[in-house]
Amino acid sequence: MGRMVSTFFNGVINENPTLRLVIGMCPVLAVTTAVVNGFWMGVAVIFVLTASNILISLLRNVTPAQVRIPFFIVVIATFTTIADLVLAAFQPDIHATLGLFIPLIVVNCIILGRAEAVASRNTVPLSIMDGLGMGTGFTLALIILASIREILGAGTWFGLPVMPEGFEPAVVMILPPGAFVSLGFLLGAMNLITARLSNRPMGSKSQSSGSAGQKLEG
Amino acid sequence: MEFIAIIVGGIFINNYIFSRFLGLCPFLGVSKQIETASGMGMAVVFVMALASAVTWLIQHFILVPLELEYMQTVAFILVIASLVQFVEMVIMKVSPELYQALGIYLPLITTNCAVLGVAILNVTEDYGFLAAVVNGTASALGWTLAILLFAGIRERWVFNDIPASMQGFPIALVSTGLMSIAFFGFQGLFRGILF
């Protein structure tokens, strides 16, 4: 039981795919113009990641090693298509806004990476917890970034006005340059916080994961 | 005239890095030196042009007649993955020199979302065969331009005093943001002439 919980929080905090491993960046930058878009993108990724982890873990003993990558891709593509069609049916506005980035979940390195590293060699419950944890970590990162961009760029949060009367929204935060710059400073802030925490004598827990962006690339 | 608009749009206005956010993983990963960046750029141009052609044929001669459009994602990703593998084998046989230059970049391209992205965009924009290939090539050239410019900037970081917490990805993203602002200038430049 303890291992299940730690697997979940590993994905949310220590190995947060966006803020610590810095993989799968395209949707992170593209859909965070508003919090609601980031939220639905996160939900779609949680679904695809957890469902493909379950199926790949179930079939891990009968999958020939030589064809495992094409097999993973077909599984992920199937669940992505399901997510695409379900969103189109029940949330047509969101589906139109996210557009291209729903089918592009297929080539998101987080999902193929978890299939290869975790689901293909672990039991089903552990793979589920890993999928949920990684997906939640991804969603949280999207919501944090989208909050910064939506509040500064439109003065709203989840569509509700939150800034005082005289606030003049900085439209550049909604435009592409705002995405790059705010994610850059968010990662920088994460590095600073991690460095401060690990300098403290008691907070040495997260030292092993290294600072964001220096562990993995591409 | 339509082709000129597609070419200018693909390279400058809807640049895949600076305005569409496609292909960021290799953009951030393989941009440490101009040499590797240009190798990756060549491979991307080659694969994206070819993938645009092949996926257009698949869409219009297989998926549409059989009313299987909902299988688009599955079909396209499989086609692209096998296409990249096939191109790799052909280059290895035909031109070992070119394979030496591009070889290590080709497998990376399967997971480059720019390739699947251009295939899907060609369908949603409803391009004809030639327009689709032109769009694929132009978008890939725009991507290459972006990674070459970025690699040039990145090579100079060695001489700069960057705060410890901003080193690596944070400063890379901030620089990309500033370049993206510069590319906004092209939108105004070409507006009224072409669009």
Side-chain angles (χ1 to χ4, degrees):
Chain A
M1 196 59 213
R3 195 158 167 229
M4 297 285 148
V5 176
S6 71
T7 308
F8 179 81
F9 283 105
N10 178 49
V12 180
I13 299 163
N14 287 351
E15 286 192 16
N16 187 299
T18 306
L19 300 175
R20 303 307 301 268
L21 304 181
V22 198
I23 52 174
M25 302 310 278
C26 301
V28 175
L29 291 158
V31 306
T32 48
T33 48
V35 180
V36 65
N37 299 344
F39 172 76
W40 280 105
M41 185 72 199
V43 170
V45 167
I46 292 178
F47 166 72
V48 176
L49 187 53
T50 313
S52 52
N53 265 7
I54 293 173
L55 193 59
I56 288 165
S57 177
L58 274 176
L59 298 175
R60 69 184 186 280
N61 293 329
V62 291
T63 313
Q66 296 87 345
V67 295
R68 70 183 194 286
I69 300 286
F71 168 69
F72 296 163
I73 292 179
V74 173
V75 170
I76 297 167
T78 311
F79 286 115
T80 306
T81 307
I82 295 173
D84 192 18
L85 295 176
V86 170
L87 262 185
F90 293 104
Q91 292 284 344
D93 296 343
I94 297 288
H95 182 261
T97 323
L98 299 180
L100 183 58
F101 286 91
I102 293 287
L104 285 185
I105 294 176
V106 176
V107 282
N108 194 320
C109 357
I110 301 171
I111 297 171
L112 193 60
R114 292 333 274 182
E116 168 74 6
V118 176
S120 61
R121 34 193 96 155
N122 283 296
T123 55
V124 177
L126 203 72
S127 306
I128 294 177
M129 289 318 276
D130 181 77
L132 288 176
M134 280 281 159
T136 311
F138 177 79
T139 313
L140 265 182
L142 281 180
I143 289 180
I144 294 172
L145 185 63
S147 301
I148 298 173
R149 290 183 67 194
E150 194 183 338
I151 291 173
L152 294 179
T156 57
W157 194 72
F158 263 106
L160 304 166
V162 287
M163 294 304 265
E165 266 308 280
F167 176 74
E168 202 54 60
V171 183
V172 72
M173 296 303 286
I174 301 274
L175 297 173
F180 287 113
V181 174
S182 35
L183 184 62
F185 282 115
L186 186 62
L187 289 181
M190 282 289 292
N191 281 347
L192 198 65
I193 294 169
T194 323
R196 287 278 156 82
L197 285 181
S198 56
N199 279 345
R200 269 195 348 215
M202 41 190 299
S204 57
K205 229 176 125 188
S206 58
Q207 261 179 350
S208 59
S209 24
S211 68
Q214 284 166 12
K215 204 170 144 196
L216 263 180
E217 49 186 44
Chain B
M1 201 61 194
E2 190 207 348
F3 288 162
I4 298 175
I6 291 177
I7 292 170
V8 174
I11 297 180
F12 295 109
I13 296 166
N14 294 321
N15 187 288
Y16 268 32
I17 298 292
F18 299 126
S19 95
R20 284 205 203 269
F21 306 108
L22 291 170
L24 282 168
C25 290
F27 176 78
L28 294 171
V30 209
S31 57
K32 293 217 171 79
Q33 286 157 353
I34 292 187
E35 204 176 310
T36 47
S38 58
M40 187 71 188
M42 277 199 288
V44 167
V45 173
F46 191 60
V47 171
M48 270 172 72
L50 210 58
S52 295
V54 175
T55 50
W56 191 92
L57 294 174
I58 300 268
Q59 172 77 16
H60 290 270
F61 289 105
I62 298 179
L63 296 184
V64 172
L66 298 178
E67 293 178 359
L68 283 173
E69 284 102 330
Y70 60 90
M71 290 294 283
Q72 198 189 52
T73 314
V74 183
F76 281 9
I77 188 68
L78 284 179
V79 167
I80 290 169
S82 35
L83 181 76
V84 172
Q85 201 101 91
F86 179 70
V87 166
E88 199 182 342
M89 289 193 300
V90 170
I91 294 182
M92 194 156 55
K93 280 272 181 231
V94 176
S95 159
E97 296 88 25
L98 190 64
Y99 182 76
Q100 285 252 302
L102 300 185
I104 48 167
Y105 305 110
L106 283 171
L108 285 173
I109 290 180
T110 317
T111 53
N112 183 342
C113 51
V115 182
L116 184 61
V118 80
I120 297 173
L121 277 174
N122 283 337
V123 173
T124 46
E125 298 278 329
D126 211 11
Y127 284 141
F129 180 72
L130 259 182
V133 177
V134 170
N135 183 39
T137 318
S139 307
L141 285 174
W143 191 89
T144 309
L145 176 70
I147 196 174
L148 283 178
L149 291 173
F150 187 58
I153 294 176
R154 210 168 171 176
E155 281 188 345
R156 289 166 192 244
W157 286 353
V158 214
F159 308 113
N160 296 348
D161 187 19
I162 300 166
S165 57
M166 288 297 283
Q167 274 169 17
F169 279 110
I171 191 72
L173 286 164
V174 173
S175 319
T176 314
L178 296 177
M179 289 168 76
S180 156
I181 295 178
F183 264 68
F184 258 81
F186 288 116
Q187 263 180 22
L189 190 65
F190 292 110
R191 182 165 294 158
I193 306 174
L194 288 171
F195 304 101

